[in-house]
Amino acid sequence: MQGRILLVEDEENLARMVELELQYENYTVEKAFDGKTGLDRARSGDFDLVLLDIMLPVMSGIEVLRRLRRETTIPVIMLTARDTVVDKVTGLDMGADDYITKPFAIEELLARIRAALRKREGAPGDVAANVLTAGPLQMDTERYEVTVRDTRVELTRREFDLLRYLLEHKEKVVSRETLLDQVWGFDFAGETNAVDVYIRFLRAKIDDHFACKLIHTVRGVGYVIKEGQPPAAG
Ligand code: CA
């Protein structure tokens, strides 16, 4: 067996055509025709790779990807009919492994699938793919564990998600608005001080507790995680 692929695509004729081609290549294929079902199935752990359309009923592919990436590093290839830079950037930004623009040649799709699965299997990268680090801090995104100098740090789900986003963008300044968008979702739009509150929680549990300095404030902009320098003496 080559691998188990979840195909989330609402155009049933296209989905059927892709399914047949993939089965011909000995992949096991399951189809989902809307975003919500796709997300539920993608979360199941039953698959090695997800092909994810962007324009989907019930929940968009971008939203599916956003939610999926909070839980798993499963390879995702976005299928997009709209050949716009915004879609590609959004998809890749949110953790898609690759994208392919419809209409595509099946050979190209197969090549992308092989590449994504290979990357996944790449022996040394496999562990590293689930582990984010900054100085003495390690986050295992599959086991939901955070340690600093090998000591476990207990975080709430929100703290974990916030820390994860910052770690994924290590050394880059992330605005409060972006954090609110990416970690809280759109419901909280406007209440940027929620971010500051949770940053304080994280600092108390990590920087203060372990006397390191990972979370930095960039005044008027947002926050950045930098590899820990030892705290300045005095
Ligand atoms: Ca579609």
Side-chain angles (χ1 to χ4, degrees):
M1 196 180 70
Q2 283 256 39
R4 301 159 301 171
I5 297 178
L6 175 66
L7 170 59
V8 190
E9 167 62 76
D10 61 315
E11 291 163 55
E12 299 199 15
N13 288 337
L14 175 62
R16 181 69 186 141
M17 187 273 284
V18 172
E19 178 185 39
L20 288 172
E21 295 284 355
L22 294 177
Q23 285 172 340
Y24 185 75
E25 299 289 324
N26 288 323
Y27 291 103
T28 303
V29 182
E30 182 176 316
K31 299 195 296 297
F33 299 115
D34 69 78
K36 170 101 180 37
T37 310
L39 177 62
D40 289 344
R41 292 302 295 132
R43 279 173 162 155
S44 66
D46 292 345
F47 301 97
D48 300 307
L49 181 139
V50 181
L51 296 175
L52 181 59
D53 185 27
I54 289 186
M55 299 291 280
L56 287 167
V58 189
M59 185 187 290
S60 79
I62 292 289
E63 184 61 19
V64 172
L65 177 64
R66 193 171 74 85
R67 297 188 186 202
L68 200 56
R69 276 291 172 261
R70 293 179 177 180
E71 298 174 22
T72 163
T73 56
I74 186 172
V76 175
I77 299 177
M78 305 297 287
L79 310 176
T80 173
R82 299 180 301 173
D83 186 16
T84 67
V85 174
V86 172
D87 276 353
K88 289 172 188 170
V89 170
T90 308
L92 294 176
D93 223 35
M94 301 189 86
D97 295 80
D98 205 348
Y99 63 86
I100 188 165
T101 305
K102 294 188 274 188
F104 46 79
I106 196 71
E107 291 74 17
E108 189 183 356
L109 179 64
L110 292 170
R112 304 280 180 110
I113 290 172
R114 283 193 297 270
L117 289 174
R118 237 188 348 259
K119 197 171 82 181
R120 174 74 165 182
E121 284 162 11
D126 206 22
V127 173
N130 325 323
V131 178
L132 300 167
T133 63
L137 182 142
Q138 284 211 339
M139 169 183 282
D140 186 320
T141 57
E142 289 194 344
R143 295 164 68 183
Y144 275 87
E145 283 179 8
V146 174
T147 58
V148 178
R149 298 186 195 109
D150 297 324
T151 303
R152 182 80 180 266
V153 182
E154 295 298 336
L155 297 180
T156 65
R157 181 59 184 268
R158 189 76 77 190
E159 291 164 353
F160 185 94
D161 290 344
L162 175 60
L163 180 61
R164 176 179 184 162
Y165 193 86
L166 289 168
L167 285 170
E168 284 169 346
H169 300 81
K170 190 169 68 174
E171 311 289 344
K172 290 179 194 151
V173 180
V174 185
S175 72
R176 288 179 179 78
E177 289 74 20
T178 300
L179 288 170
L180 208 57
D181 235 36
Q182 298 295 322
V183 180
W184 275 261
F186 300 97
D187 303 350
F188 282 71
E191 302 174 39
T192 49
N193 62 354
V195 176
D196 302 326
V197 170
Y198 276 81
I199 288 283
R200 277 206 295 279
F201 294 161
L202 280 181
R203 278 189 168 137
K205 288 183 176 181
I206 295 168
D207 285 9
D208 299 347
H209 191 78
F210 293 94
C212 53
K213 180 78 180 136
L214 296 175
I215 304 165
H216 299 256
T217 305
V218 179
R219 204 169 289 282
V221 184
Y223 297 98
V224 56
I225 281 199
K226 295 185 190 171
E227 301 278 0
Q229 308 99 317

